[in-house]
Amino acid sequence: MSSVHRRGISSLVVGRFARTMVARASGGSAALTRLWPGRTDRLIIAPHDLRTADATRAAEIYAGRFVFAGKIVTSHGRSIFDIEPPSDDWEAALFGFGWLRHLRAADTAITRANARSLVDDWLGNMARHRPVGRRPEVTARRVISLLSQAPLVLSDTDGKFYRRYLRGLTREIRALRHALLDVSDGVPRLQVTIALCYAALCLANQARNIRGATKRLSEELQRQILPDGGHVSRNPGALIELLIDLLPLRQTFAARNIAPPPALLNAIDRMMPMLRFFRHGDGAIALFNGMSATPSDLLATLLAYDDSHGTPMASMPHSGYQRIDAGSTLVIVDAGSPPPPNVSQDAHAGCLSFELSSGPSRIVINCGMPGTNRESWRGFARSTPAHSTVTCHDTSSCSFVERSAMKKLLQGAPIVSGPSRVENRREEVANGVLLTTSHDGYRDRFGVLHQRVIMVKHDGSRVDGEDTLEPAQGGRHRAAQADYALRFHLHPQVKASRLGDAKGVMLVLPNREVWTFEAADDKVDLEESVFLAGNDGPRRSTQIVIRQNSIEAPSVRWSFVRSNSSPQATSARRAARREPELPL
């Protein structure tokens, strides 16, 4: 283990130990009481829930069928909270109470009674003390759900149940305040802060807590949302998770006639363009650093609040991403260093990986992260071979915490070492846009630097690239470890067939566009891959692979070229000649 690796782990352990000690020192019922001062006897507002509701699911819930995270559980007349959950994801969804919105969408006397019955069952059920249900991020989701769906649960109820509901809600809020002392950094900490801000705004007699919650929210947003609008974790999915709560929070401030904090308004204004930055032509979000399947319904809802509607920026220097738009062709590149270790539990070793799309068709992708059953795939999904970039000696460019005991202590497997210097140079040249990037993630172990050059023609008809592994100054370049693989993972809808000379691949897209991949000086292989970020779970796919030796062949030149016979190319030529376009 390298000294850098050891220092990274030591720093994480010390930080985790310090937070645990603070949380324990602040424990006890007296401390919990002090964490939520002020008496509350009523709810005064219910925030809006932007998540999509499906009224047909209310009938399933009434029948005792609970479908979460790809798993179905039928209660058969028992309390759903007493049944052994099939997975942690399913249990988190159950205890998050987001499913109440489906009952509210149906809006019948039966669904309102069903909602009250289920919440009442939970209030008196000891299963609420299960570890998954007590996770800070799950508790935060539950608090927000109970606040936003209060009109459903409390409709036509009596004073006794109303008071019982408030006592249960207050208990959850107190636990959430205590969890702030020990919650994982990044999105979970911000979710807890957002939930506490909602609570302060929605309950009566909370003027003092509104000031404190607003201050904490502002501090977290300023720390976690980067100047270009990206999240500090570098995960595009974090933007969706946070915006779906931040937008209604802004409305809740306005409904209370309280000016939203400037940090909240500024964060939303920066995050919206960043969200659009990651979108491909089919509306999906690029698969970097933990991004899973794009929740298209949530994304459409969020984009309806976007007032800018301009062309996405080309470079996001603080988040470490580059975007090249050329005609209907789009290239998005991960050109940044790994996030700080304390927010890297979901970060990937995909430095200099890129995704390529043409119009509504994605061509080159990363494997992504599955939406459910993540633990089974997490190790592979985070590795460099799961990304469209160079892998040296079958080794990832980042090192992750590997020991089980350490993972449990740190609540995940953060990155402890990786590229420390990532350089970017972007130029407008005669034929298009030239992007030159490099990273030093393999310098200490293999004595090489990875440089990737990508040139996209102005009309988007051609993408040329060159990957080079050059000896690093002071590094030890060992012949036994000089092997490397250059991978281009293809979207499952792309049909790939190797050309006769074994140096190229023909790619047929769903819209009948034809692209050709070529590497004139190298043998090209087609191998199996897996697309993890599908809405229906992992799917088999294909990857283009070029294997070489960095001593014998330190550079590989490659290109993706749109065929002149493709429908889009034909349309462009006809437009240029002002010819009428015939139906295909």
Side-chain angles (χ1 to χ4, degrees), residues 69-92:
K71 305 288 185 180
I72 302 175
V73 173
T74 304
S75 63
H76 297 296
R78 298 171 56 196
S79 168
I80 190 63
F81 303 105
D82 287 335
I83 295 176
E84 188 67 24
S87 70
D88 284 357
D89 290 335
W90 185 94
E91 188 175 9

Side-chain angles (χ1 to χ4, degrees), residues 459 461 514 561-582 584:
D459 63 0
S461 63
V514 178
V561 182
R562 183 192 294 128
S563 170
N564 286 331
S565 61
S566 292
Q568 186 156 352
T570 303
S571 297
R573 290 197 305 274
R574 283 176 176 150
R577 296 196 300 263
R578 299 183 182 277
E579 293 182 1
E581 185 173 343
L582 300 177
L584 295 174

Side-chain angles (χ1 to χ4, degrees), residues 146-464:
L146 292 175
L147 289 169
S148 60
Q149 304 307 331
L152 165 74
V153 181
L154 299 178
S155 176
D156 304 323
T157 191
D158 56 23
K160 183 179 179 180
F161 180 80
Y162 188 98
R163 290 188 295 272
R164 179 172 162 79
Y165 188 84
L166 279 182
R167 285 196 301 270
L169 184 57
T170 303
R171 180 189 62 227
E172 295 297 296
I173 295 167
R174 285 175 175 167
L176 207 53
R177 290 289 297 270
H178 188 254
L180 260 182
L181 302 171
D182 195 33
V183 64
S184 298
D185 203 357
V187 171
R189 179 176 291 276
L190 195 44
Q191 287 175 327
V192 169
T193 307
I194 291 170
L196 288 171
C197 205
Y198 270 118
L201 289 168
C202 295
L203 293 170
N205 304 316
Q206 298 298 316
R208 180 179 170 186
N209 279 320
I210 290 174
R211 291 191 296 271
T214 300
K215 182 175 182 294
R216 281 190 300 273
L217 176 68
S218 298
E219 291 170 350
E220 283 299 320
L221 288 173
Q222 290 168 351
R223 187 176 67 87
Q224 294 196 33
I225 306 303
L226 302 174
D228 58 17
H231 186 256
V232 67
S233 68
R234 305 191 68 235
N235 183 352
L239 301 175
I240 298 176
E241 287 186 55
L242 295 172
L243 280 169
I244 206 69
D245 286 328
L246 290 175
L247 288 170
L249 182 60
R250 181 178 64 179
Q251 294 175 329
T252 306
F253 271 103
R256 288 293 313 274
N257 290 319
I258 299 173
L264 172 60
L265 301 178
N266 293 337
I268 292 173
D269 288 344
R270 297 197 308 274
M271 293 166 75
M272 281 295 192
M274 191 68 187
L275 191 61
R276 296 174 63 248
F277 174 93
F278 286 114
R279 290 187 77 206
H280 282 287
D282 65 350
I285 300 296
L287 301 174
F288 297 109
N289 288 299
M291 182 64 201
S292 185
T294 301
S296 55
D297 53 342
L298 295 185
L299 185 59
T301 299
L302 293 175
L303 293 175
Y305 285 81
D306 184 10
D307 298 327
S308 58
H309 300 296
T311 302
M313 294 181 65
S315 176
M316 293 298 185
H318 299 91
S319 298
Y321 291 99
Q322 295 282 338
R323 178 185 172 109
I324 303 175
D325 282 285
S328 62
T329 300
L330 169 64
V331 175
I332 306 176
V333 184
D334 179 347
S337 301
N342 55 309
V343 291
S344 66
Q345 283 84 354
D346 291 321
H348 290 191
C351 192
L352 304 196
S353 64
F354 78 97
E355 295 200 345
L356 165 67
S357 60
S358 176
S361 301
R362 283 182 282 172
I363 305 174
V364 177
I365 57 172
N366 296 314
C367 293
M369 182 70 79
T372 60
N373 195 25
R374 290 190 167 208
E375 290 308 315
S376 300
W377 289 98
R378 189 180 296 273
F380 167 74
R382 300 180 72 190
S383 69
T384 301
H387 297 78
S388 294
T389 186
V390 166
T391 305
C392 288
H393 196 55
D394 201 28
T395 303
S396 290
S397 58
C398 295
S399 296
F400 307 91
V401 169
E402 296 179 353
R403 294 182 180 178
S404 298
M406 201 67 68
K407 289 180 183 178
K408 184 176 181 180
L409 174 66
L410 299 175
Q411 300 176 335
I415 291 176
V416 291
S417 68
S420 59
R421 185 173 182 179
V422 182
E423 297 184 345
N424 299 275
R425 186 174 73 255
R426 185 184 181 115
E427 306 170 78
E428 291 282 344
V429 294
N431 295 326
V433 177
L434 181 67
L435 178 65
T436 304
T437 61
S438 66
H439 80 78
D440 62 353
Y442 290 119
R443 179 186 57 194
D444 294 339
R445 282 170 289 180
F446 305 122
V448 294
L449 301 177
H450 174 205
Q451 182 184 80
R452 165 164 276 180
V453 179
I454 297 176
M455 213 283 282
V456 184
K457 198 172 179 181
H458 280 310
D459 63 0
S461 63
R462 185 181 183 99
V463 178
D464 290 282

Side-chain angles (χ1 to χ4, degrees), residues 38-58:
R39 177 177 178 81
T40 180
D41 56 3
R42 69 188 189 280
L43 279 162
I44 56 178
I45 193 171
H48 187 45
D49 188 350
L50 293 182
R51 288 169 175 78
T52 305
D54 182 358
T56 62
R57 294 188 63 181

